[in-house]
Amino acid sequence: AEGRPGIRALNQDHYDEMKSALENSKYKGIADVYVTLRKGLDRSLAKAFNAQSRMKDIEDSVIERLRKSIGQIPNYFPHVRYGNWSIRGYDAEGKIVYRSHYYDTPKVSTMGERLLAKIKPQYPEAVEWKIAPVTKLPDEIYDYPIPIEAMEQVIYAAAERVGDPAARQLFEKAMPEAIADVIKSRGWGAHMIRRRDIPGHEKRDIKRILHEYFAGLNGWLTKMEASRRHSEVLRDLRAKKEPRRWKYATDYVRDVLANADRIDAAVDTLRTIIYLKYLAGVIKSGAVNLTQNVVAAIPRMSIDARGAGAQYFTDAMKTIVAAVRKGKNLKADEMKLVQELYLEGVTSDQFNKEIKGQIGTRIGRTFNQAVDLLGLTMGIPERFNRISTGLAAYRLARDGKIINPDTLKRYGMAKGKSWPYEQAKKYAEEVVSDTHFIMGKSNLPMWARGPSVLSKIGRGAYALQSFSHQYLQLLGWMAKQRRGYRAIMRSLLALLILGGISSLPFFGTISRIARR
């Protein structure tokens, strides 16, 4: 969009060679899954690079330096660690050859020696072992700290720059390092940082790691887009004339870019308790979850395909049920779609994972497994919703049923023509994200931001409201589309029929005010 080269496509020949090599080895049983996952991880990096290419007001040379500053590892798998204790093994030169984290009591580790006895034989080159408490959160151990003050200077330069060449030069000099440090230090960007002394990765909970990676990417891209819009607003902002707005802007940057700490981990536990009390193991919650297809997905697809959306959606749900109950296979392209969307986190139970949080204690792993089991009442309906929505949207595009001129123009397609696989898949991903939402990406309200303990507790409470927040955002988006108001009426009518008048947005608040 800014006239810079981007990554237009991935090299399919490479993945075909990778699959062939695996199928001719002892790993042939996982060839399909591994290659699909590898492609999803590579596509994430391509998305990140393309987002940087679209940054406005930054010179090409700056973008190039920013890209080079990202630590790239061939065939990288997400590195995540959990635990308040660590085991390290050193070779004769003092280099770390093994490192892992685990949970134990705060003062003394009784588990460490038992774990070490199992690990030692696997690393004969290690001549020294250390068991010690983790003094920093694992993902805080970077080669350099986060320069929040540098980000303040970026805002200052941006606000003071209005057509002044000298200020522009100052802005461009400050921006590269500030952006490189900040985008790499929060959430998904931490995967790009060249860490020290941290080989290996968590192997016990792959699903959680992949969910955090793909959901984190969505949040990271959203923040990057938001920062572009903020910079456009801040150019005309004067600290002396508008001190309150200036303070809000600087506080906002500090809040959203601050690293997670141990209080955040404790709030995660609080969120899990809320989840257990209100949602986990509750059949009613799962049943209500299933209504999201009728309330959001069908109205959303009607914007692009009118009446065909409802028919295709019904057929997609029947197909998924038949595949599960009767073993009927999907078509090759549809099976590929379902696998890729799931492995990339698009059709995983995102809301379930987002609200569940994690228990960070010695018994955490066992407790989390129990919570996962209770969470099936929420997780299975959500996965069914997302998969059936994705399949219906994919079929609509593949069969050339999309008639909305705005959508056709955005994807470069013609009315009545069949869409190629990659384009149809991209459209399916868009519809799933629009109607079942990208959990973890939303901007937090003011009371749930900031470094205070109350704000961090507020984030845990907000987890129960984030779904409603995003539903209102969906209605707002629909209002701006062609035939959007018809889609809104369909959605509200479905909500009224399924949940009664009290389920409509703001009805409870309005009725209480009326009674008073």
mmCIF file of all heavy atoms in Angstrom, residues 397-429:
data_model
loop_
_atom_site.group_PDB
_atom_site.id
_atom_site.type_symbol
_atom_site.label_atom_id
_atom_site.label_comp_id
_atom_site.label_asym_id
_atom_site.label_seq_id
_atom_site.Cartn_x
_atom_site.Cartn_y
_atom_site.Cartn_z
ATOM 1 N N ALA A 397 -17.332 -18.475 -1.306
ATOM 2 C CA ALA A 397 -16.316 -17.857 -2.164
ATOM 3 C C ALA A 397 -15.900 -18.814 -3.279
ATOM 4 O O ALA A 397 -15.807 -18.419 -4.452
ATOM 5 C CB ALA A 397 -15.109 -17.454 -1.322
ATOM 6 N N ARG A 398 -15.659 -20.065 -2.929
ATOM 7 C CA ARG A 398 -15.218 -21.055 -3.918
ATOM 8 C C ARG A 398 -16.243 -21.216 -5.042
ATOM 9 O O ARG A 398 -15.891 -21.362 -6.228
ATOM 10 C CB ARG A 398 -14.995 -22.401 -3.232
ATOM 11 C CG ARG A 398 -14.504 -23.516 -4.150
ATOM 12 C CD ARG A 398 -14.634 -24.866 -3.484
ATOM 13 N NE ARG A 398 -16.040 -25.200 -3.199
ATOM 14 C CZ ARG A 398 -16.421 -26.262 -2.499
ATOM 15 N NH1 ARG A 398 -15.515 -27.083 -1.992
ATOM 16 N NH2 ARG A 398 -17.701 -26.501 -2.290
ATOM 17 N N ASP A 399 -17.532 -21.163 -4.688
ATOM 18 C CA ASP A 399 -18.591 -21.365 -5.679
ATOM 19 C C ASP A 399 -19.019 -20.084 -6.381
ATOM 20 O O ASP A 399 -19.978 -20.095 -7.161
ATOM 21 C CB ASP A 399 -19.808 -22.013 -5.008
ATOM 22 C CG ASP A 399 -19.501 -23.399 -4.470
ATOM 23 O OD1 ASP A 399 -18.434 -23.946 -4.807
ATOM 24 O OD2 ASP A 399 -20.320 -23.938 -3.691
ATOM 25 N N GLY A 400 -18.339 -18.977 -6.084
ATOM 26 C CA GLY A 400 -18.644 -17.721 -6.763
ATOM 27 C C GLY A 400 -19.968 -17.099 -6.361
ATOM 28 O O GLY A 400 -20.614 -16.417 -7.158
ATOM 29 N N LYS A 401 -20.375 -17.282 -5.091
ATOM 30 C CA LYS A 401 -21.654 -16.756 -4.626
ATOM 31 C C LYS A 401 -21.545 -15.367 -3.986
ATOM 32 O O LYS A 401 -22.554 -14.782 -3.594
ATOM 33 C CB LYS A 401 -22.271 -17.725 -3.606
ATOM 34 C CG LYS A 401 -22.576 -19.116 -4.157
ATOM 35 C CD LYS A 401 -23.654 -19.051 -5.236
ATOM 36 C CE LYS A 401 -24.012 -20.441 -5.747
ATOM 37 N NZ LYS A 401 -25.059 -20.396 -6.797
ATOM 38 N N ILE A 402 -20.339 -14.845 -3.882
ATOM 39 C CA ILE A 402 -20.162 -13.519 -3.304
ATOM 40 C C ILE A 402 -20.604 -12.466 -4.328
ATOM 41 O O ILE A 402 -20.088 -12.435 -5.448
ATOM 42 C CB ILE A 402 -18.697 -13.270 -2.892
ATOM 43 C CG1 ILE A 402 -18.192 -14.389 -1.975
ATOM 44 C CG2 ILE A 402 -18.536 -11.909 -2.226
ATOM 45 C CD1 ILE A 402 -18.931 -14.525 -0.679
ATOM 46 N N ILE A 403 -21.541 -11.590 -3.938
ATOM 47 C CA ILE A 403 -22.054 -10.579 -4.872
ATOM 48 C C ILE A 403 -21.842 -9.150 -4.376
ATOM 49 O O ILE A 403 -22.114 -8.200 -5.109
ATOM 50 C CB ILE A 403 -23.555 -10.801 -5.148
ATOM 51 C CG1 ILE A 403 -24.358 -10.744 -3.844
ATOM 52 C CG2 ILE A 403 -23.780 -12.133 -5.862
ATOM 53 C CD1 ILE A 403 -25.863 -10.842 -4.064
ATOM 54 N N ASN A 404 -21.360 -8.988 -3.139
ATOM 55 C CA ASN A 404 -21.114 -7.643 -2.608
ATOM 56 C C ASN A 404 -19.960 -7.005 -3.374
ATOM 57 O O ASN A 404 -18.823 -7.485 -3.325
ATOM 58 C CB ASN A 404 -20.767 -7.731 -1.121
ATOM 59 C CG ASN A 404 -20.595 -6.364 -0.473
ATOM 60 O OD1 ASN A 404 -20.542 -5.344 -1.145
ATOM 61 N ND2 ASN A 404 -20.521 -6.353 0.843
ATOM 62 N N PRO A 405 -20.207 -5.900 -4.125
ATOM 63 C CA PRO A 405 -19.133 -5.310 -4.941
ATOM 64 C C PRO A 405 -17.937 -4.838 -4.126
ATOM 65 O O PRO A 405 -16.807 -4.875 -4.602
ATOM 66 C CB PRO A 405 -19.830 -4.141 -5.648
ATOM 67 C CG PRO A 405 -21.093 -3.896 -4.887
ATOM 68 C CD PRO A 405 -21.489 -5.194 -4.292
ATOM 69 N N ASP A 406 -18.178 -4.385 -2.889
ATOM 70 C CA ASP A 406 -17.067 -3.920 -2.051
ATOM 71 C C ASP A 406 -16.127 -5.078 -1.698
ATOM 72 O O ASP A 406 -14.907 -4.939 -1.743
ATOM 73 C CB ASP A 406 -17.608 -3.297 -0.757
ATOM 74 C CG ASP A 406 -18.380 -2.013 -1.010
ATOM 75 O OD1 ASP A 406 -18.111 -1.366 -2.047
ATOM 76 O OD2 ASP A 406 -19.250 -1.666 -0.196
ATOM 77 N N THR A 407 -16.708 -6.229 -1.365
ATOM 78 C CA THR A 407 -15.892 -7.406 -1.034
ATOM 79 C C THR A 407 -15.159 -7.919 -2.267
ATOM 80 O O THR A 407 -13.976 -8.280 -2.193
ATOM 81 C CB THR A 407 -16.784 -8.509 -0.448
ATOM 82 O OG1 THR A 407 -17.448 -8.003 0.713
ATOM 83 C CG2 THR A 407 -15.954 -9.729 -0.045
ATOM 84 N N LEU A 408 -15.857 -7.963 -3.399
ATOM 85 C CA LEU A 408 -15.227 -8.426 -4.639
ATOM 86 C C LEU A 408 -14.040 -7.531 -5.003
ATOM 87 O O LEU A 408 -12.980 -8.018 -5.406
ATOM 88 C CB LEU A 408 -16.253 -8.433 -5.779
ATOM 89 C CG LEU A 408 -17.378 -9.485 -5.659
ATOM 90 C CD1 LEU A 408 -18.449 -9.229 -6.715
ATOM 91 C CD2 LEU A 408 -16.812 -10.897 -5.814
ATOM 92 N N LYS A 409 -14.215 -6.241 -4.837
ATOM 93 C CA LYS A 409 -13.135 -5.295 -5.153
ATOM 94 C C LYS A 409 -11.958 -5.483 -4.195
ATOM 95 O O LYS A 409 -10.790 -5.454 -4.615
ATOM 96 C CB LYS A 409 -13.662 -3.862 -5.071
ATOM 97 C CG LYS A 409 -12.628 -2.811 -5.415
ATOM 98 C CD LYS A 409 -13.231 -1.407 -5.320
ATOM 99 C CE LYS A 409 -12.188 -0.339 -5.645
ATOM 100 N NZ LYS A 409 -12.764 1.032 -5.522
ATOM 101 N N ARG A 410 -12.261 -5.690 -2.929
ATOM 102 C CA ARG A 410 -11.196 -5.841 -1.932
ATOM 103 C C ARG A 410 -10.338 -7.063 -2.195
ATOM 104 O O ARG A 410 -9.132 -7.059 -1.972
ATOM 105 C CB ARG A 410 -11.817 -5.916 -0.532
ATOM 106 C CG ARG A 410 -10.810 -5.805 0.590
ATOM 107 C CD ARG A 410 -11.452 -5.561 1.927
ATOM 108 N NE ARG A 410 -12.096 -6.746 2.467
ATOM 109 C CZ ARG A 410 -13.403 -6.920 2.557
ATOM 110 N NH1 ARG A 410 -14.222 -5.972 2.116
ATOM 111 N NH2 ARG A 410 -13.900 -8.021 3.071
ATOM 112 N N TYR A 411 -10.950 -8.128 -2.698
ATOM 113 C CA TYR A 411 -10.210 -9.365 -2.965
ATOM 114 C C TYR A 411 -9.781 -9.486 -4.428
ATOM 115 O O TYR A 411 -9.144 -10.467 -4.804
ATOM 116 C CB TYR A 411 -11.070 -10.579 -2.595
ATOM 117 C CG TYR A 411 -11.094 -10.860 -1.110
ATOM 118 C CD1 TYR A 411 -12.051 -10.285 -0.283
ATOM 119 C CD2 TYR A 411 -10.142 -11.687 -0.527
ATOM 120 C CE1 TYR A 411 -12.072 -10.540 1.086
ATOM 121 C CE2 TYR A 411 -10.146 -11.937 0.839
ATOM 122 C CZ TYR A 411 -11.117 -11.364 1.633
ATOM 123 O OH TYR A 411 -11.127 -11.614 2.984
ATOM 124 N N GLY A 412 -10.143 -8.493 -5.253
ATOM 125 C CA GLY A 412 -9.754 -8.536 -6.656
ATOM 126 C C GLY A 412 -10.444 -9.637 -7.440
ATOM 127 O O GLY A 412 -9.852 -10.196 -8.379
ATOM 128 N N MET A 413 -11.681 -9.954 -7.097
ATOM 129 C CA MET A 413 -12.425 -11.030 -7.749
ATOM 130 C C MET A 413 -13.603 -10.461 -8.540
ATOM 131 O O MET A 413 -14.009 -9.311 -8.341
ATOM 132 C CB MET A 413 -12.935 -12.035 -6.712
ATOM 133 C CG MET A 413 -11.850 -12.638 -5.828
ATOM 134 S SD MET A 413 -10.510 -13.434 -6.749
ATOM 135 C CE MET A 413 -11.429 -14.720 -7.594
ATOM 136 N N ALA A 414 -14.154 -11.301 -9.437
ATOM 137 C CA ALA A 414 -15.281 -10.885 -10.279
ATOM 138 C C ALA A 414 -16.544 -11.628 -9.852
ATOM 139 O O ALA A 414 -16.489 -12.775 -9.392
ATOM 140 C CB ALA A 414 -14.980 -11.179 -11.749
ATOM 141 N N LYS A 415 -17.679 -10.983 -10.014
ATOM 142 C CA LYS A 415 -18.963 -11.561 -9.637
ATOM 143 C C LYS A 415 -19.257 -12.828 -10.456
ATOM 144 O O LYS A 415 -19.066 -12.854 -11.664
ATOM 145 C CB LYS A 415 -20.077 -10.532 -9.857
ATOM 146 C CG LYS A 415 -21.454 -10.991 -9.422
ATOM 147 C CD LYS A 415 -22.473 -9.885 -9.635
ATOM 148 C CE LYS A 415 -23.870 -10.340 -9.241
ATOM 149 N NZ LYS A 415 -24.879 -9.256 -9.459
ATOM 150 N N GLY A 416 -19.700 -13.876 -9.764
ATOM 151 C CA GLY A 416 -20.064 -15.121 -10.434
ATOM 152 C C GLY A 416 -18.906 -16.038 -10.752
ATOM 153 O O GLY A 416 -19.109 -17.162 -11.232
ATOM 154 N N LYS A 417 -17.666 -15.595 -10.492
ATOM 155 C CA LYS A 417 -16.484 -16.411 -10.769
ATOM 156 C C LYS A 417 -16.015 -17.146 -9.513
ATOM 157 O O LYS A 417 -16.043 -16.596 -8.416
ATOM 158 C CB LYS A 417 -15.349 -15.529 -11.298
ATOM 159 C CG LYS A 417 -15.647 -14.862 -12.641
ATOM 160 C CD LYS A 417 -15.713 -15.889 -13.758
ATOM 161 C CE LYS A 417 -15.973 -15.241 -15.110
ATOM 162 N NZ LYS A 417 -14.884 -14.375 -15.550
ATOM 163 N N SER A 418 -15.563 -18.378 -9.688
ATOM 164 C CA SER A 418 -15.054 -19.166 -8.576
ATOM 165 C C SER A 418 -13.750 -18.572 -8.041
ATOM 166 O O SER A 418 -12.896 -18.150 -8.816
ATOM 167 C CB SER A 418 -14.830 -20.607 -9.036
ATOM 168 O OG SER A 418 -14.261 -21.380 -7.995
ATOM 169 N N TRP A 419 -13.596 -18.537 -6.717
ATOM 170 C CA TRP A 419 -12.385 -17.994 -6.116
ATOM 171 C C TRP A 419 -11.335 -19.097 -5.968
ATOM 172 O O TRP A 419 -11.680 -20.238 -5.642
ATOM 173 C CB TRP A 419 -12.684 -17.439 -4.725
ATOM 174 C CG TRP A 419 -13.530 -16.202 -4.700
ATOM 175 C CD1 TRP A 419 -14.475 -15.833 -5.623
ATOM 176 C CD2 TRP A 419 -13.518 -15.191 -3.696
ATOM 177 N NE1 TRP A 419 -15.050 -14.653 -5.250
ATOM 178 C CE2 TRP A 419 -14.488 -14.222 -4.074
ATOM 179 C CE3 TRP A 419 -12.806 -14.987 -2.533
ATOM 180 C CZ2 TRP A 419 -14.745 -13.095 -3.311
ATOM 181 C CZ3 TRP A 419 -13.065 -13.866 -1.768
ATOM 182 C CH2 TRP A 419 -14.014 -12.919 -2.152
ATOM 183 N N PRO A 420 -10.046 -18.795 -6.154
ATOM 184 C CA PRO A 420 -8.990 -19.784 -5.902
ATOM 185 C C PRO A 420 -8.890 -20.086 -4.408
ATOM 186 O O PRO A 420 -9.376 -19.317 -3.568
ATOM 187 C CB PRO A 420 -7.728 -19.093 -6.417
ATOM 188 C CG PRO A 420 -8.032 -17.636 -6.396
ATOM 189 C CD PRO A 420 -9.502 -17.512 -6.659
ATOM 190 N N TYR A 421 -8.227 -21.196 -4.082
ATOM 191 C CA TYR A 421 -8.197 -21.675 -2.698
ATOM 192 C C TYR A 421 -7.691 -20.622 -1.706
ATOM 193 O O TYR A 421 -8.341 -20.363 -0.688
ATOM 194 C CB TYR A 421 -7.324 -22.935 -2.598
ATOM 195 C CG TYR A 421 -7.162 -23.409 -1.169
ATOM 196 C CD1 TYR A 421 -8.155 -24.161 -0.546
ATOM 197 C CD2 TYR A 421 -6.025 -23.079 -0.420
ATOM 198 C CE1 TYR A 421 -8.031 -24.577 0.763
ATOM 199 C CE2 TYR A 421 -5.892 -23.489 0.888
ATOM 200 C CZ TYR A 421 -6.898 -24.236 1.480
ATOM 201 O OH TYR A 421 -6.777 -24.625 2.787
ATOM 202 N N GLU A 422 -6.544 -20.034 -1.978
ATOM 203 C CA GLU A 422 -5.947 -19.113 -1.008
ATOM 204 C C GLU A 422 -6.847 -17.909 -0.743
ATOM 205 O O GLU A 422 -6.972 -17.456 0.396
ATOM 206 C CB GLU A 422 -4.562 -18.653 -1.481
ATOM 207 C CG GLU A 422 -3.482 -19.731 -1.413
ATOM 208 C CD GLU A 422 -3.189 -20.178 0.013
ATOM 209 O OE1 GLU A 422 -3.461 -19.405 0.959
ATOM 210 O OE2 GLU A 422 -2.684 -21.305 0.173
ATOM 211 N N GLN A 423 -7.471 -17.372 -1.784
ATOM 212 C CA GLN A 423 -8.361 -16.233 -1.613
ATOM 213 C C GLN A 423 -9.608 -16.636 -0.829
ATOM 214 O O GLN A 423 -10.069 -15.907 0.044
ATOM 215 C CB GLN A 423 -8.757 -15.664 -2.982
ATOM 216 C CG GLN A 423 -7.618 -14.990 -3.731
ATOM 217 C CD GLN A 423 -7.171 -13.703 -3.057
ATOM 218 O OE1 GLN A 423 -6.362 -13.741 -2.135
ATOM 219 N NE2 GLN A 423 -7.700 -12.580 -3.510
ATOM 220 N N ALA A 424 -10.181 -17.801 -1.184
ATOM 221 C CA ALA A 424 -11.374 -18.276 -0.485
ATOM 222 C C ALA A 424 -11.066 -18.561 0.987
ATOM 223 O O ALA A 424 -11.877 -18.279 1.879
ATOM 224 C CB ALA A 424 -11.912 -19.531 -1.164
ATOM 225 N N LYS A 425 -9.877 -19.096 1.257
ATOM 226 C CA LYS A 425 -9.486 -19.364 2.638
ATOM 227 C C LYS A 425 -9.332 -18.056 3.424
ATOM 228 O O LYS A 425 -9.758 -17.945 4.581
ATOM 229 C CB LYS A 425 -8.174 -20.142 2.668
ATOM 230 C CG LYS A 425 -7.712 -20.471 4.083
ATOM 231 C CD LYS A 425 -6.244 -20.774 4.140
ATOM 232 C CE LYS A 425 -5.782 -20.740 5.593
ATOM 233 N NZ LYS A 425 -4.340 -20.863 5.732
ATOM 234 N N LYS A 426 -8.738 -17.069 2.784
ATOM 235 C CA LYS A 426 -8.561 -15.774 3.436
ATOM 236 C C LYS A 426 -9.916 -15.159 3.781
ATOM 237 O O LYS A 426 -10.092 -14.563 4.854
ATOM 238 C CB LYS A 426 -7.755 -14.847 2.513
ATOM 239 C CG LYS A 426 -7.318 -13.546 3.170
ATOM 240 C CD LYS A 426 -6.445 -12.752 2.217
ATOM 241 C CE LYS A 426 -6.016 -11.433 2.864
ATOM 242 N NZ LYS A 426 -5.179 -10.617 1.948
ATOM 243 N N TYR A 427 -10.886 -15.314 2.859
ATOM 244 C CA TYR A 427 -12.227 -14.793 3.117
ATOM 245 C C TYR A 427 -12.871 -15.555 4.279
ATOM 246 O O TYR A 427 -13.511 -14.949 5.151
ATOM 247 C CB TYR A 427 -13.088 -14.923 1.860
ATOM 248 C CG TYR A 427 -14.533 -14.533 2.079
ATOM 249 C CD1 TYR A 427 -14.897 -13.203 2.245
ATOM 250 C CD2 TYR A 427 -15.527 -15.506 2.146
ATOM 251 C CE1 TYR A 427 -16.215 -12.845 2.468
ATOM 252 C CE2 TYR A 427 -16.848 -15.165 2.364
ATOM 253 C CZ TYR A 427 -17.187 -13.826 2.525
ATOM 254 O OH TYR A 427 -18.501 -13.482 2.752
ATOM 255 N N ALA A 428 -12.697 -16.871 4.316
ATOM 256 C CA ALA A 428 -13.246 -17.674 5.408
ATOM 257 C C ALA A 428 -12.672 -17.232 6.747
ATOM 258 O O ALA A 428 -13.395 -17.106 7.751
ATOM 259 C CB ALA A 428 -12.945 -19.159 5.163
ATOM 260 N N GLU A 429 -11.375 -16.982 6.772
ATOM 261 C CA GLU A 429 -10.724 -16.517 7.998
ATOM 262 C C GLU A 429 -11.302 -15.178 8.439
ATOM 263 O O GLU A 429 -11.538 -14.943 9.628
ATOM 264 C CB GLU A 429 -9.216 -16.388 7.764
ATOM 265 C CG GLU A 429 -8.434 -15.973 8.985
ATOM 266 C CD GLU A 429 -6.937 -15.916 8.723
ATOM 267 O OE1 GLU A 429 -6.487 -16.494 7.704
ATOM 268 O OE2 GLU A 429 -6.225 -15.308 9.531
#
